[in-house]
Amino acid sequence: MTTNVKQSPRERLLEAAATLTYRDGVGIGVEALCKAAGVSKRSMYQLFESKDELLAASLKERAAAFGASLLPAADDGRSPRERILHVFERVESQAGAPDFQGCRYLAVQIELKDQTHPASRVAHQIKANLTAFFRSEAEQGGASNPDLLARQLILVFDGASARAGIQADNLTGLIAPTVVTLLDAADMR
C-alpha cells in the first residue's frame, strides 16, 4: 500500500518557484507563486523573508539533483576525459527533452543581472562548482592548462545549454566533437 504524503506549504512553494521560474523566468509574481503552491501570501512571508529568498532556496534545493543529473559518480572508474565527456553526453540527452529550456542556473544569472541577489549568488556558486569539477578532472587528466580548459568547458556547457534551451540549435553530433577538440588541444587523457 502506498501512502500519499502531502507536501508542506514550504515544499509546495519551493516546487512552484522551481517550476514557474524555469518556465516563465524569475519575474514571476508572488501571487502566481502562491496560487500555484496553494499557499497564502501571508504564509509565504512567514516561511521566507522575501520572494528573492524563496527563489534562492528553490535553486539551492535543486542543486543536488542538478549535479546528480550531470556528474558521474565519484568512483566510477572512468578516466578524467571520459568523466568530462559524460557531462556533455548528459547535456545532449537533456537538451532533447521537449520541456528543456537550458540551464536554470545560467538563466537566473542572466535574468537577474544583480550579482548580489540571493538567487544569483546561489546560481553563481553552483556554476562555480561545475567549473571546479572540470578543473579537477583536467588536473587529474594531465591537461596542459587545467584552469583554461575548465573555463573553456564551462563556456561550451553554458553556450550549448543556452542554444538548445532557446531551440536555436540541436546539440546532437555537435557538442561531443567540440569538447573532444578542446580535450585533445589540452593534451587531456
Side-chain angles (χ1 to χ4, degrees):
M1 178 172 124
T2 57
T3 359
N4 200 358
V5 178
K6 187 170 166 52
Q7 289 184 310
S8 72
R10 184 179 196 285
E11 291 167 331
R12 292 194 316 266
L13 280 165
L14 290 169
E15 182 68 31
T19 301
L20 295 179
T21 57
Y22 187 65
R23 188 186 72 202
D24 302 328
V26 295
I28 192 80
V30 170
E31 296 245 353
L33 288 168
C34 290
K35 183 178 180 184
V39 173
S40 71
K41 280 202 265 185
R42 181 174 183 225
S43 293
M44 187 202 95
Y45 286 114
Q46 287 173 337
L47 293 165
F48 299 96
E49 285 182 31
S50 64
K51 176 187 144 191
D52 294 351
E53 292 299 329
L54 169 58
L55 294 178
S58 176
L59 289 171
K60 201 175 288 184
E61 185 166 283
R62 292 266 178 296
F66 174 73
S69 73
L70 288 174
L71 303 178
D75 56 356
D76 70 352
R78 289 188 261 184
S79 71
R81 180 186 184 96
E82 292 167 328
R83 291 171 55 76
I84 288 171
L85 284 168
H86 171 86
V87 172
F88 290 96
E89 288 164 6
R90 297 297 307 136
V91 171
E92 183 179 314
S93 171
Q94 292 170 10
D99 60 344
F100 183 78
Q101 294 186 338
C103 173
R104 77 174 58 243
Y105 299 101
L106 177 64
V108 163
Q109 290 178 297
I110 290 170
E111 281 187 74
L112 289 174
K113 311 279 187 263
D114 178 3
Q115 297 291 318
T116 64
H117 187 288
S120 186
R121 287 196 314 261
V122 170
H124 177 79
Q125 183 57 56
I126 290 161
K127 298 302 288 196
N129 293 346
L130 182 56
T131 305
F133 166 81
F134 289 143
R135 186 178 305 105
S136 173
E137 295 298 322
E139 286 170 0
Q140 292 174 39
S144 54
N145 186 339
D147 288 331
L148 177 61
L149 180 58
R151 290 175 53 220
Q152 290 170 323
L153 292 171
I154 200 70
L155 183 70
V156 171
F157 180 94
D158 285 346
S161 296
R163 301 235 352 123
I166 62 170
Q167 296 162 359
D169 220 330
N170 178 338
L171 301 184
T172 306
L174 177 65
I175 195 167
T178 302
V179 172
V180 165
T181 299
L182 288 172
L183 297 176
D184 288 347
D187 297 320
M188 180 80 188
R189 45 181 201 276

